[in-house]
Amino acid sequence: MLGWGGGWGATYDDSHAYLLDVTSGATLLSIPFGHSVDALATVLGELREVSGHIENLRPEVTHVTSGAVAAKSAEDQIAVTGVLESGAMAAMHFRGGESRATGFHWEINGTDGDLVVKADQAQWWSGRLRLYGARGSGGALTELPVPARYQRSLTQWTGRSAEPAYNGAHEYALLRDQITGRLAPDTDGVPDFRHAVRRYGMLEQIREAARAGQKGTLAEQGS
């Protein structure tokens, strides 16, 4: 999984100055990486072990208009490898700033096929995702259409997947179905506070493992 932060690059503006301070809680780890590792764990299972590096390679950044130089304590590089509960290996690299190549790339290699999830924007959860896949020993990846059942009852959003509110609207629909009893808690992609605590516990253990420079065990992250 490869991604960019959008923020935390070489420059900043007034509306995003708060991102420079790691103590604000709005960091590359908690936002782009956090959303992405949550998707990975939801689809493929939780991480059992993890090791990685979290670095701030740009301790000083420049204001986009005034040219003023400001200190930045928040990280701008995250490289994590881990072992999933299934025994599969996972690797994630997130960088601050923007890329001319791709905003987000997630490749899943299975025993009988491959899946690729792509987005042009760094904040992939607020825009259109494209899914590609192939099975067997031959054939190139082809784009896979999103099944109609994922539209749920939100037919007014058909064909509007590039809009920032598209994914959010579907999350609220899932939450509605949970509140009305049509879905059980923490199922079918509906997070609750228990889910949030588990995920933030994972992020803190990843940060601690990176500080220690050693592999950490995530078996107790739900406690």
Side-chain angles (χ1 to χ4, degrees), residues 16-32:
H16 295 93
Y18 68 99
L19 298 177
L20 306 181
D21 184 359
V22 69
T23 64
S24 73
T27 65
L28 186 66
L29 181 72
S30 66
I31 303 177

Side-chain angles (χ1 to χ4, degrees), residues 126-143:
S126 297
R128 180 174 181 263
L129 293 172
R130 301 185 304 278
L131 178 65
Y132 301 86
R135 286 183 179 272
S137 58
L141 291 169
T142 58
E143 187 166 2

Side-chain angles (χ1 to χ4, degrees), residues 34-35 38-39 42 46 167-168 170-179 183-200:
H35 279 291
D38 184 58
T42 300
E46 299 290 336
N167 291 333
H170 283 79
E171 283 299 314
Y172 278 115
L174 288 168
L175 182 61
R176 173 202 61 198
D177 291 346
Q178 183 192 83
I179 292 172
L183 293 174
D186 207 16
T187 61
D188 201 17
V190 187
D192 56 14
F193 282 107
R194 180 184 58 181
H195 182 97
V197 169
R198 180 169 64 247
R199 192 61 61 235
Y200 270 93

